Amino acid sequence: MALEITFLGTGSAFPSPERGASALVLRREGQCWLFDCGEGTQTQLMRSHLRAARITKIFITHLHGDHFFGLPGLLCTLSLQSSPDGSQAPVDIYGPLGLRSFLWRSLELSHSQLLFPYTVHELVPTRDQCPAEEFKDFSGLDRGEALPQGPPGRVLHLDPGEDSYLLLEDEQLVVRAFRLFHRVPSFGFVLEEKPRPGKLNVQKLKDLG
């Protein structure tokens, strides 16, 4: 399995002409997986050899602006490059609780109509992921409000046995999130390649001694 990483931004707090805000792309079998989407990420993509239209999954580590303020704009750009025939698979977005509401409200308030579907899978943090005075419980966000156009997706809780969150699994790899300690609840992501047992030609080995 070939993996290629491209750093689009390594700056923090605010973008600069020399360094974009946090964003990197993992390219895997023709797909692009984006990790964080700071302000200006779509511009950085245009300067790279990557095609934004190949982004199929987005992972947001935490809800500080320099890690996700570029997301609504990127989604709108992807929409402009999409065909309205409804055949495109959803873009899966993973991130902390509260991300679904942020995206829905940003797109709703800006009258942005995306031409492709997207899903938001929210990770429910634990209270020990940040200083107690900084923790905000977003579990009741938008409760009681009708979100007719809100994106679908799962709400993922910590698996105590694995001490992680299972995000996705296919025949080649497993992707999990794990908790990080920061000023706000934060997550790291692990891509673990599954063992690929080879096949031995026993007779050929015997012939070769």
Side-chain angles (χ1 to χ4, degrees):
M1 180 172 59
L3 300 174
E4 177 186 287
I5 291 178
T6 301
F7 291 91
L8 298 177
T10 58
S12 62
F14 58 91
S16 73
E18 291 78 27
R19 295 176 68 188
S22 182
L24 70 85
V25 171
L26 175 73
R27 189 160 64 170
R28 174 198 178 220
E29 298 183 343
Q31 297 183 25
C32 290
W33 293 4
L34 176 65
F35 291 80
D36 278 342
C37 188
E39 182 182 348
T41 293
Q42 57 179 319
T43 305
Q44 294 294 91
L45 274 167
M46 294 172 189
R47 292 173 177 164
S48 75
H49 64 284
L50 302 169
R51 291 180 56 194
R54 292 192 179 275
I55 294 176
T56 59
K57 299 188 188 307
I58 300 172
F59 302 83
I60 302 298
T61 58
H62 63 291
L63 299 184
H64 272 156
D66 54 334
H67 290 258
F68 80 117
F69 276 172
L71 189 50
L74 175 64
L75 294 178
C76 290
T77 295
L78 292 178
S79 180
L80 291 174
Q81 299 174 355
S82 298
S83 125
D85 60 5
S87 61
Q88 185 172 340
V91 173
D92 286 303
I93 303 172
Y94 299 84
L97 197 65
L99 184 58
R100 178 183 288 110
S101 179
F102 167 80
L103 281 176
W104 180 80
R105 290 187 181 280
S106 297
L107 297 173
E108 184 75 5
L109 288 170
S110 60
H111 295 257
S112 301
Q113 302 289 329
L114 300 186
L115 297 179
F116 64 90
Y118 72 101
T119 58
V120 181
H121 309 289
E122 294 184 301
L123 310 177
V124 179
T126 58
R127 290 182 175 270
D128 56 353
Q129 285 182 246
C130 68
E133 65 274 11
E134 296 281 355
F135 186 86
K136 295 182 180 179
D137 184 1
F138 293 137
S139 58
L141 208 59
D142 300 323
R143 182 174 294 167
E145 291 188 36
L147 301 181
Q149 303 299 320
R154 297 173 292 156
V155 176
L156 304 171
H157 294 269
L158 179 71
D159 179 346
E162 296 288 342
D163 197 27
S164 64
Y165 303 74
L166 177 61
L167 305 187
L168 61 101
E169 181 175 5
D170 61 24
E171 65 280 357
Q172 290 187 317
L173 57 73
V174 178
V175 182
R176 293 182 179 274
F178 61 92
R179 296 173 297 165
L180 296 174
F181 187 86
H182 190 37
R183 277 184 46 230
V184 298
S186 302
F187 299 90
F189 301 99
V190 174
L191 285 73
E192 181 179 359
E193 189 174 4
K194 291 183 176 180
R196 291 186 293 167
K199 295 181 179 180
L200 290 177
N201 186 330
V202 176
Q203 186 58 49
K204 186 70 172 179
L205 291 174
K206 289 179 179 179
D207 293 344
L208 294 171

